[in-house]
Amino acid sequence: MVSASSWVRPATRTDQIENLVSGVGKCFNRNVGLLEDYLYLQIRTEQYDCLANLAILKLYQFNPDLYNPDVVINILIKALTSSPFPDFNLCISLLDDRPPSVNPDEPDPLPALLPLITTLHSLLQQCRFPAFWQLYNSDKAESLRDNYTVECVGFEDAVRDVVIRAVIPAFKRIGSDRLSSYLYLSGDDLIDYVGKLGWTIDQEGVVVIPPNADNTIVSTVVQENVQLPQLTKIITHSQNA
Amino acid sequence: MSQQRALWEVDLEDELQDVDVNLAIGSYGQSGLYDDAQPRVDEATLLAVQQQMAQQAAFAQIPDVVKRFIVHFHQAVLDNNLPEITVAYESGWNRLTEKFYAKTEWPEAEAIAPLVNDGVYLAFFPRIGAHIETPVHPPMRTSKPDQIFLILYRELYYRHVYSRLQPDIDDRFHSYENSCELFNYLLNSEGPVPLELPEQWLWDIIDEFIYQFQSFCVWRSKVKSKTDEELQLLADASQVWSSYSVLNVLYSLIQKSRINEHIVAVQEGKSQEELAEIVGDYGTRPLYRMLGYFSIIGLLRVHSLLGDFTLALKVMENVELNQKNIRVNIELHPEDEAVPHKKLPVRPGETDHIRPSWDVLTHMVSQINKIADRMYALYAICNALSPSRLDDNISNIVKERYGEQFSKMSRGEEGIPAFEELFLYACPKFIAANPPPYDFPELLSAYVDEPPSEPAQRHLSLFLAEVRAQAPVPTLRSFLKLYTSLDAKKLANFLDADEEEMVQQMMVMKQASRSVSRVENEKGLLAGETVPTSDLDFVIDDNMVHIAESTVGRRYAGWFIRNTEHAQRVYDTIKNAPLPVKKVPKAPTTESQPASAVPASATVPKSAGAKVAWGGVQVA
């Protein structure tokens, strides 16, 4: 069971930011700086606060002058690794189509990167993890890696968290090769990673995932449960008849 | 605009009066002083006379019954007489619209202004409401017209234009200005205003405000069809119907009324005194309280229109949706009932005013049905994406209305057009937050050459991307249902798929059968826990797939209850039916059985008399 309460309010969110996210404070442009600083803090410290980042996009939506493509790209990179939760599309929903940049001195990197980031997201969404790593490590993604994800501390581990979230409910045991292709880890790295998760590797080299509510399946028969109120009408009628 | 004009008129009148005096003094000479003043005065006088004549002409064209209605309506508003306002609002206005203004505008507010001079008319008609004489000429401007009533009147005037006619750019701009004046009056007066309006009207004010905003955004986004004059006006007025201003009004109403604090306090079981202290001067008044509450719903709508779904749910976090009647917790306030509403005796001949117009009711029912239809379409989408057993009645209606689309949507990739069709039919009418760049001609032409995709299309493509990610699920599901365990390689063979790809799809399937759902007693619409939603579950053990299905035991009770109730209805019907006494058949019977009737009448001699009375009827 994953609770959404830490998504609604992460422990790392300060009261000041909380006021901006939940209060009316978010309507004021001068606060965009605070929220942008908070985003860069998330980038550096492996934190994540979707609602605060959505508040930035909201300000951009209403004030095209504030728009900063680097911030948008960082927000999308953060949201990418929250799959299977819908954060990424929630962010995209707030990105209205905008006219092409008018200032040739400040080219907007977003239009060029957006299709790539969207494809990466859809690969994660479809659990096509080996394909994700292949695209992510290809030349096509060089500018994304060199300019953005390199700054985002723990990005690759965050992607691995997406993998783990998908593997835990679906598998009792998973072959090392398969897991290795999902996590883009091999040899000792893989063994270390699996160890950190508290998982074990059996004699056949198959990784064993501890039982949890989702990978323990049981057939059940749901029996009906009749409540008295359902019978009120009938009983009343027989009284009156 | 109107205020400026009013000031200008006052100036003009002052000037004229001065001139009169001067003319009187003029006989003393010094005429040279007035030589150049004279033509200016004539022009001004001319203008004033022309304007007065135009207003008089417009005034004369107003049917007497409408004049009486407006006077009456105004008086009801002045008296804060809710029952009378309700009758005028829900019945009178609509009936007169049907009769006189089905295809044209109501008279302009300026034209009816003479009827609503603050209290002046009381002098003319001391027995207001009883037998109002019809004013023939506008009365002297002895006092200013009741601006508040005129604002409310314009609110109705423009709503009528939007719903029955085609609003032009002036209507759109002026309805915005009028909304601003109304909300300014409510929010920026010194303290709460002493106005009372029926809840239905308050709801309609917020509802219409958002509708006009949305309508404006859609109209504004179509650059190509604008005339030069419209382009100019739009370039100069970027603030008109801006998203900011609309959100500002709704947030201000929520803050002023302290409705969120109010709801929380009611949930905490605070006493009336504590409540009154918490909500303050504004929140204790029904007008502000209801406007605040309706603004929460309004924000839900505006944020959804703008594509901000998290914020839309967040504003609703205090509203309890699990209550059967959402408004119960806010309406039950004894102090409201303590204010005795003067119940007016219904005079003979006026009862028909109270009867709601049939057209209005039919219109409302068809509106509700349309919304219900869209809800069923959304339900069909959800149930196709996450099949589960829910309320039988709802499922049956969905099957009836969207059975074809539903079965397509349940088949994965080939159902995409059906998803598209239902999504576009049922989704909010999305709008763009910002106008096209009307104030930058060169950007505007680029915009026209390469228009951005419409907001609804953007949201559609996002939605379809989600659907496509889940597209393999229905096929997998149908295969898994046949087994309790099978080898992954074998399953991949059945599906004619690559084993690794299929295993990845199974992870998608697992995720698609989980959803964040509100658990009991949890507050906020964004919170929740991940819960399983599907009756079919599986797990992969290295290369073996194990499947478990939750089945629902045969349901006897529902069947028993339904049929017992049905039997009771049949029993009641039979019991209440008159005894089957043989009746004298009526003429139509012969028509329904011509084959037997005609020969019968033919074989019976006419002289047979009463026994074949119907035969006689046929002859006659």
Side-chain angles (χ1 to χ4, degrees), chain B residues 29-141:
Chain B
Q30 295 175 308
S31 59
L33 254 175
Y34 302 103
D35 276 348
D36 46 331
Q38 199 64 40
R40 193 161 62 90
V41 168
D42 283 345
E43 212 172 285
T45 318
L46 199 65
L47 263 174
V49 169
Q50 274 176 349
Q51 203 191 14
Q52 204 183 357
M53 278 171 68
Q55 272 185 10
Q56 267 181 5
F59 187 81
Q61 277 179 1
I62 303 173
D64 289 350
V65 55
V66 175
K67 286 178 187 160
R68 277 199 297 273
F69 169 74
I70 288 169
V71 170
H72 193 95
F73 196 177
H74 176 225
Q75 192 58 43
V77 171
L78 276 183
D79 295 346
N80 276 339
N81 183 337
L82 278 181
E84 285 282 313
I85 301 175
T86 307
V87 170
Y89 177 74
E90 290 185 357
S91 171
W93 177 271
N94 292 318
R95 291 164 61 87
L96 291 171
T97 298
E98 291 303 328
K99 195 161 179 192
F100 298 106
Y101 306 109
K103 293 190 176 72
T104 56
E105 293 94 344
W106 272 71
E108 298 217 351
E110 285 71 23
I112 65 128
L115 293 170
V116 297
N117 282 1
D118 288 326
V120 169
Y121 254 80
L122 292 174
F124 284 78
F125 308 106
R127 283 159 55 222
I128 250 184
H131 295 284
I132 301 167
E133 287 168 51
T134 309
V136 183
H137 299 292
M140 299 277 288
R141 275 274 170 89

Side-chain angles (χ1 to χ4, degrees), chain B residues 245-544:
Chain B
S245 60
V246 172
L247 288 174
N248 193 16
V249 164
L250 298 175
Y251 273 113
S252 303
L253 285 170
I254 289 172
Q255 276 191 305
K256 264 288 199 269
S257 63
R258 302 206 197 147
I259 187 66
N260 277 315
E261 292 83 341
H262 180 112
I263 298 174
V264 171
V266 169
Q267 283 163 2
E268 287 169 355
K270 293 270 197 291
S271 71
Q272 288 302 322
E273 293 76 35
E274 288 173 303
L275 208 58
E277 194 156 318
I278 289 166
V279 298
D281 289 347
Y282 287 88
T284 43
R285 293 184 161 268
L287 177 107
Y288 286 95
R289 184 168 67 233
M290 294 322 289
L291 281 175
Y293 191 73
F294 296 148
S295 294
I296 296 181
I297 315 283
L299 270 184
L300 168 72
R301 185 164 152 207
V302 174
H303 286 317
S304 302
L305 291 174
L306 290 167
D308 196 339
F309 310 113
T310 39
L311 207 51
L313 292 176
K314 207 165 163 49
V315 293
M316 291 282 289
E317 72 188 341
N318 291 317
V319 179
E320 283 189 37
L321 286 180
N322 51 359
Q323 299 222 344
K324 278 207 174 140
N325 183 351
I326 293 179
R327 282 170 51 190
V328 158
N329 56 353
I330 187 146
E331 276 190 331
L332 289 179
H333 288 289
E335 84 267 12
D336 293 355
E337 310 308 317
V339 180
H341 292 314
K342 205 170 49 178
K343 195 87 185 162
L344 291 182
V346 177
R347 284 175 292 279
E350 216 186 271
T351 40
D352 56 347
H353 277 273
I354 295 163
R355 196 187 64 212
S357 143
W358 182 246
D359 287 340
V360 174
L361 270 183
T362 330
H363 176 72
M364 278 164 63
V365 169
S366 84
Q367 287 292 312
I368 291 169
N369 282 340
K370 264 185 208 159
I371 292 173
D373 256 1
R374 289 170 66 192
M375 285 166 69
Y376 284 123
L378 290 175
Y379 176 92
I381 292 177
C382 296
N383 208 24
L385 288 174
S386 173
S388 56
R389 182 188 271 268
L390 292 154
D391 188 284
D392 280 348
N393 284 334
I394 298 175
S395 302
N396 287 339
I397 299 175
V398 169
K399 263 183 212 137
E400 203 176 284
R401 298 198 188 164
Y402 302 110
E404 197 187 321
Q405 291 95 329
F406 184 78
S407 60
K408 280 183 192 156
M409 290 190 294
S410 311
R411 283 193 297 244
E413 187 68 34
E414 62 175 304
I416 297 283
F419 276 110
E420 184 171 338
E421 178 199 337
L422 290 194
F423 182 87
L424 286 178
Y425 169 63
C427 72
K429 305 293 167 228
F430 293 112
I431 50 178
N434 292 297
Y438 282 109
D439 38 357
F440 292 104
E442 57 273 33
L443 285 181
L444 192 64
S445 63
Y447 182 97
V448 172
D449 293 341
E450 215 180 308
S453 53
E454 282 181 29
Q457 288 297 327
R458 291 196 306 113
H459 289 286
L460 173 68
S461 64
L462 278 179
F463 172 70
L464 291 183
E466 299 258 3
V467 173
R468 281 208 174 86
Q470 288 195 30
V473 172
T475 318
L476 273 175
R477 195 180 143 86
S478 61
F479 271 90
L480 291 181
K481 264 186 173 283
L482 305 173
Y483 298 89
T484 50
S485 66
L486 92 159
D487 189 75
K489 196 167 279 164
K490 208 168 145 195
L491 180 59
N493 277 338
F494 286 151
L495 293 164
D496 203 12
D498 174 74
E499 186 185 342
E500 283 309 311
E501 270 182 33
M502 187 216 61
V503 170
Q504 290 161 21
Q505 288 172 359
M506 296 205 57
M507 286 189 280
V508 173
M509 180 177 172
K510 192 82 177 191
Q511 289 182 340
S513 66
R514 298 288 183 276
S515 125
V516 177
S517 177
R518 252 151 56 91
V519 185
E520 255 179 280
N521 298 330
E522 206 162 18
K523 279 205 67 183
L525 298 178
L526 291 172
E529 307 279 337
T530 308
V531 295
T533 57
S534 168
D535 48 2
L536 185 79
D537 209 355
F538 72 90
V539 70
I540 307 171
D541 187 358
D542 197 6
N543 281 315
M544 280 299 279

Side-chain angles (χ1 to χ4, degrees), chain A residues 1-71:
Chain A
M1 298 265 274
V2 177
S3 172
S5 55
S6 64
W7 183 83
V8 176
R9 171 140 199 205
T12 52
R13 188 190 291 165
T14 62
D15 287 344
Q16 187 186 27
I17 299 290
E18 165 67 17
N19 187 32
L20 294 187
V21 172
S22 300
V24 218
K26 81 161 69 182
C27 294
F28 300 114
N29 307 351
R30 62 173 183 276
N31 292 325
V32 77
L34 284 171
L35 289 165
E36 285 171 349
D37 289 347
Y38 181 43
L39 168 72
Y40 282 104
L41 182 76
Q42 295 170 45
I43 295 287
R44 290 192 307 271
T45 56
E46 296 189 60
Q47 297 170 8
Y48 177 54
D49 190 339
C50 182
L51 292 184
N53 298 345
L54 286 173
I56 301 180
L57 294 178
K58 181 97 202 160
L59 283 168
Y60 289 1
Q61 185 188 30
F62 282 179
N63 306 283
D65 301 347
L66 298 176
Y67 171 75
N68 177 343
D70 287 342
V71 169

Side-chain angles (χ1 to χ4, degrees), chain A residues 1-4 7-8 21-22 24 26-27 29 51 54 58-59 61-64 84-85 89-90 92-97 102 125-130 165-167 169-175 178 182 206 214-215 217-224 226 230-231 233-234 237-238 241, chain B residues 243-244 247 251 255 303 306-311 314 432-434 443 452-453 458-459 462 465-466 469 499-500 503-504 507-508 510-511 514 516 526-531 537-543 546-558 561 564-565 568 571-572 575:
Chain A
M1 298 265 274
V2 177
S3 172
W7 183 83
V8 176
V21 172
S22 300
V24 218
K26 81 161 69 182
C27 294
N29 307 351
L51 292 184
L54 286 173
K58 181 97 202 160
L59 283 168
Q61 185 188 30
F62 282 179
N63 306 283
F85 299 103
N89 280 352
L90 289 176
I92 298 278
S93 294
L94 288 180
L95 288 180
D96 279 356
D97 265 330
V102 272
Q125 206 182 11
Q126 296 173 52
C127 297
R128 295 174 60 192
F129 305 121
R165 275 201 291 276
V167 167
F171 289 89
K172 261 180 176 359
R173 296 189 303 149
I174 179 170
R178 190 173 275 161
Y182 290 180
V206 179
D214 292 314
N215 74 356
I217 55 163
V218 273
S219 300
T220 51
V221 178
V222 181
Q223 292 297 353
E224 63 182 342
V226 187
Q230 290 175 265
L231 301 170
K233 231 169 149 185
I234 295 172
H237 190 275
S238 46
Chain B
S243 309
Y244 247 129
L247 288 174
Y251 273 113
Q255 276 191 305
H303 286 317
L306 290 167
D308 196 339
F309 310 113
T310 39
L311 207 51
K314 207 165 163 49
N434 292 297
L443 285 181
S453 53
R458 291 196 306 113
H459 289 286
L462 278 179
E466 299 258 3
E499 186 185 342
E500 283 309 311
V503 170
Q504 290 161 21
M507 286 189 280
V508 173
K510 192 82 177 191
Q511 289 182 340
R514 298 288 183 276
V516 177
L526 291 172
E529 307 279 337
T530 308
V531 295
D537 209 355
F538 72 90
V539 70
I540 307 171
D541 187 358
D542 197 6
N543 281 315
H546 300 281
I547 301 114
E549 201 173 353
S550 304
T551 43
V552 178
R554 188 86 194 267
R555 293 185 183 224
Y556 299 102
I561 292 168
T564 311
E565 285 175 1
Q568 285 174 341
Y571 171 74
D572 286 347
K575 208 173 82 172

